[in-house]
Amino acid sequence: MGSCFCVVDSIRSTIAVLAGGDDLCPLFPGSSRFLSPGRNVDVYCPPRKRARVIAPLGFSFSFRGREEVAAEKQQPRSIDTLPDECLFEILRRLPGEKERSSCACVSKRWLMLLISIRSSQLAARMKTTDESVKTRMPDLNKGVCAEEKECENNGYLTRRLDAEEATDIRLASIAFGSCSRGGLGRLFIRGSNSTRVTDVGLSAIAHGCPSLRVLSLWKVPLITDAGLSEIADGCPLLEKIDLCQCPQISDKGLIAVAQKCPNLTSLTIESCSSIRNEGLQAIGRCCPNLKSVTVKDCMRVGDQGIASLVSSASSSLQRIKLQTLNISDIVLAVIGHYGKNVIDLALIDLQKVNEKGFWVMGKTLGLQRLRSISITSCSGLTDMGLEAIAKGSPSLKQLFICKSDYLSDAGLRAFAETARALENLHLEDCNQVTLVGVSSLLKCNPELKSLALVRCLGIKDITLCPIQIPSCVSLRSLTIHDCPGVTDASLQAVGKICPQLQNVDLSGQIGVTDASLIPLIGNSKAGFVEVNLSSCVNVTDALVAMLVKSHGGTLKVFNLDGCKQITDRSLLAIADGCSELDNLDLSSCSISDYGVAVLASARQLNLRILSLSSCSKVTQKSLPFLGNMGSSMVGLNLQHCRLISTYGIGLLEEKLWWCDILS
């Protein structure tokens, strides 16, 4: 009887070794006959893990009932009955990528198990490693193989998932399929309230995509700290992470990223209600290469988190954007002191920051490399604060100020006298600024290249200005948008004092007429490149003809959206005189099929983008001409063209298959 026990144990051990575990006996349906020494023989087995053996009728173990044996016999003999642990052991022993890819197509369960296998757990790779260790002779192909392996998993691939496309199974498929195709380098998930992506999907990415460098999660409410921690563990090369509207991600997830991803260079956190100060502090301490930080609408983040982050990462931090936060003057003082490498700073909707904060930020003289600053909806910005910023930032080249109720001509004048390197100025909704302040800038800043005045109600007619407007030869771009005080006389004067203009944006200036623009067009010596006359309802075909005659050889972008007096005559002039035109917007103009035909027949035109939105006179007859526009066309807007049918649009899409058509 003792020899029988030895045989049973030996067979059981052999099956375990061959199959990778003790629970794989169902893979050998004939194993019962090896275990039967005869009929009506009782065999005693020591207490141990139950062997799944299908015995013939009349044969039973002393510890099993007939009902249990019968129930087991009725079960299908399938590999699917194996527990996940056993199937995991089998799948990780597959010899190559081809076999693993085939198994991944079997079922969702197999796919998820395969993606849960880390590269270090693959038996074939472990075996190769062991053999390479034992090899005494040098392998001449070792360097080549290593180079090929590095190229295969370099992170060249980019995947974007929107709304319903984003699921755990989809992420698992991406993770598994990208392994042998260059490796996943960037992953963008734009979700919604119904997005079903969970930590399981992120775990699959973490296991299968070690080359991931960029991760963007937008509105994925089911992702928690556990999923982000998996990414941190499996993707140590992560360089950029964007988290937007992820309510279940807290400081714990950020701390995991900080500890496991030392190569992090960019961090964006937006509307993440669970994030506090501790996570940002860990990022500052553990990420020495951090260059860009954006924190927006995180109401639990305060002075301590931002100040610690800026002070800890002062040696590398170059770009800072803070928007809608509960921070005070302390943060601006820290930025002014420790921001020695900051080149771009954006401060938006910081209601608790006062005049003192902006003054101290400039007076600390730490922003020596600052090149661009944007201040929007910060009630604490005053003339004194702007002057201090100019003194503390000698390298400042771009200034953007929006919705500042306390900024006046005095502050702009004091700023202009100090910031002599300024090249770009944008003032929006600054109603106390007048032409006196603008004149000071033009006089004191010989390098000014771009000036934008948007909805500045204090800008009045130039004839009412008490001082003479100086000429500005360096100015190349001028934007005057929705400033009702700017009249024809003002624009005529602009043409005289700015002879080198190339880009002109007068969108929304309802009072603009042909008479006001003729001097502007005639005095330009450099040649217009971009012209935006959107919603200038008084502009006519005569002005377009003159503009094309003078600047047709340089004009690349022309916007006539909403100019209802523009007809087919303008298209005749454009077709004959514009050789470099790249982008043409004729939305809501009074053009017809004849004008479209003229554009299509112009051989020197190579339009890339054409907009005919809301052109009520354009009909089905224009479709054949649009179809012959050429291979250069990549964007066509036919929205709200009611005389063009859906069927006609479909035919046009087939012909211009490479073009993005909006209808």
Side-chain angles (χ1 to χ4, degrees), residues 122-311:
L122 294 175
R125 186 164 300 179
M126 294 170 62
K127 181 179 179 181
T128 304
T129 304
D130 293 340
E131 290 179 353
S132 62
V133 173
K134 296 178 182 179
T135 303
R136 296 183 179 179
M137 297 297 293
D139 187 0
L140 299 179
N141 296 322
K142 184 177 181 179
V144 178
C145 294
E147 184 178 352
E148 291 178 355
K149 180 180 177 181
E150 182 180 357
C151 294
E152 285 181 0
N153 206 17
N154 243 345
Y156 294 124
L157 300 181
T158 299
R159 293 292 180 264
R160 302 176 187 272
L161 300 180
D162 296 330
E164 299 300 327
E165 294 179 348
T167 62
D168 291 340
I169 295 299
R170 186 69 180 273
L171 288 178
S173 301
I174 290 174
F176 188 82
S178 62
C179 293
S180 58
R181 293 172 176 82
L184 184 66
R186 298 186 296 173
L187 176 62
F188 301 88
I189 302 177
R190 269 184 86 87
S192 62
N193 291 329
S194 59
T195 300
R196 295 168 292 174
V197 172
T198 67
D199 295 335
V200 175
L202 277 194
S203 178
I205 294 294
H207 282 76
C209 306
S211 60
L212 188 68
R213 287 177 169 83
V214 178
L215 175 64
S216 178
L217 302 177
W218 187 87
K219 209 170 186 179
V220 280
L222 301 181
I223 296 296
T224 69
D225 293 329
L228 195 58
S229 298
E230 287 280 350
I231 290 291
D233 289 335
C235 307
L237 301 179
L238 196 65
E239 298 176 357
K240 180 179 180 180
I241 182 167
D242 297 344
L243 304 175
C244 178
Q245 298 187 38
C246 301
Q248 297 195 58
I249 292 180
S250 67
D251 292 329
K252 184 179 179 181
L254 282 186
I255 292 173
V257 171
Q259 294 175 345
K260 301 294 181 62
C261 303
N263 295 329
L264 193 70
T265 60
S266 176
L267 173 67
T268 298
I269 305 173
E270 179 179 347
S271 301
C272 296
S273 56
S274 298
I275 292 180
R276 299 174 183 265
N277 296 320
E278 290 78 7
L280 295 178
Q281 291 173 340
I283 292 290
R285 289 193 308 267
C286 304
C287 300
N289 299 319
L290 190 65
K291 295 181 179 180
S292 175
V293 171
T294 299
V295 185
K296 176 182 177 182
D297 197 21
C298 297
M299 305 312 295
R300 295 189 177 186
V301 173
D303 291 339
Q304 186 178 3
I306 301 297
S308 177
L309 173 64
V310 173
S311 59

Side-chain angles (χ1 to χ4, degrees), residues 514-528:
D514 292 355
S516 62
L517 292 178
I518 287 176
L520 188 64
I521 295 173
N523 292 328
S524 178
K525 299 178 181 180
F528 286 160

Side-chain angles (χ1 to χ4, degrees), residues 318-367:
Q318 297 179 355
R319 290 175 173 83
I320 303 175
K321 181 178 180 181
L322 306 177
Q323 180 173 352
T324 318
L325 301 175
N326 288 323
I327 58 177
S328 66
D329 299 336
I330 296 175
V331 170
L332 267 63
V334 172
I335 292 175
H337 183 73
Y338 290 98
K340 57 184 179 181
N341 290 311
V342 174
I343 61 175
D344 189 355
L345 176 62
L347 306 173
I348 305 170
D349 193 21
L350 304 179
Q351 298 303 321
K352 293 186 177 181
V353 175
N354 301 317
E355 180 184 56
K356 182 179 179 181
F358 288 100
W359 183 83
V360 173
M361 184 176 69
K363 284 294 184 179
T364 52
L365 303 178
L367 298 174

Side-chain angles (χ1 to χ4, degrees), residues 64-109:
R64 302 176 60 193
R66 293 180 179 274
E67 294 79 2
E68 186 178 354
V69 175
E72 188 172 307
K73 184 177 180 180
Q74 292 177 359
Q75 292 180 357
R77 299 176 180 178
S78 171
I79 195 172
D80 289 334
T81 61
L82 290 175
D84 289 347
E85 294 81 3
C86 297
L87 193 55
F88 178 92
E89 291 296 328
I90 294 175
L91 294 177
R92 81 180 187 90
R93 285 170 168 76
L94 293 173
E97 290 291 339
K98 183 177 180 181
E99 290 78 9
R100 285 192 287 272
S101 298
S102 300
C103 290
C105 301
V106 172
S107 65
K108 295 179 180 179
R109 180 194 176 200

Side-chain angles (χ1 to χ4, degrees), residues 440-650:
S440 302
L441 275 170
L442 297 179
K443 181 180 180 180
C444 299
N445 297 94
E447 300 297 326
L448 191 66
K449 293 181 173 59
S450 176
L451 174 63
L453 304 173
V454 180
R455 294 188 297 275
C456 294
L457 302 182
I459 304 295
K460 303 294 183 179
D461 195 342
I462 199 170
T463 57
L464 303 177
C465 184
I467 63 174
Q468 183 178 0
I469 305 295
S471 61
C472 187
V473 181
S474 62
L475 198 65
R476 298 291 186 270
S477 176
L478 175 65
T479 298
I480 302 177
H481 178 57
D482 283 341
C483 295
V486 178
T487 61
D488 287 357
S490 300
L491 292 177
Q492 291 175 5
V494 167
K496 297 178 181 179
I497 64 178
C498 304
Q500 299 296 328
L501 281 178
Q502 294 180 329
N503 304 326
V504 178
D505 184 354
L506 301 175
S507 56
Q509 294 298 117
I510 300 177
V512 171
T513 62
D514 292 355
S516 62
L517 292 178
I518 287 176
L520 188 64
I521 295 173
N523 292 328
S524 178
K525 299 178 181 180
F528 286 160
V529 178
E530 297 183 11
V531 176
N532 187 352
L533 301 177
S534 175
S535 300
C536 296
V537 294
N538 295 318
V539 171
T540 66
D541 293 328
L543 179 73
V544 174
M546 180 180 179
L547 178 64
V548 170
K549 183 178 180 181
S550 302
H551 306 283
T554 58
L555 192 62
K556 293 184 178 181
V557 179
F558 199 10
N559 190 339
L560 295 168
D561 181 11
C563 300
K564 298 184 180 299
Q565 297 189 45
I566 299 299
T567 66
D568 294 338
R569 292 180 57 191
S570 294
L571 298 189
L572 283 169
I574 291 173
D576 290 338
C578 292
S579 57
E580 301 293 328
L581 193 61
D582 181 73
N583 188 330
L584 178 61
D585 193 340
L586 300 169
S587 302
S588 301
C589 293
S590 300
I591 63 173
S592 65
D593 297 330
Y594 175 73
V596 176
V598 169
L599 277 181
S601 61
R603 294 184 178 181
Q604 74 274 14
L605 271 181
N606 290 305
L607 282 175
R608 297 181 70 252
I609 300 175
L610 174 64
S611 178
L612 302 175
S613 175
S614 302
C615 292
S616 57
K617 295 182 180 181
V618 175
T619 69
Q620 294 274 121
K621 297 179 181 179
S622 296
L623 295 181
F625 303 109
L626 292 174
N628 295 327
M629 290 294 287
S631 58
S632 62
M633 182 73 68
V634 296
L636 178 62
N637 188 353
L638 297 177
Q639 290 180 316
H640 310 297
C641 293
R642 300 178 179 178
L643 299 181
I644 299 180
S645 66
T646 304
Y647 177 74
I649 295 293

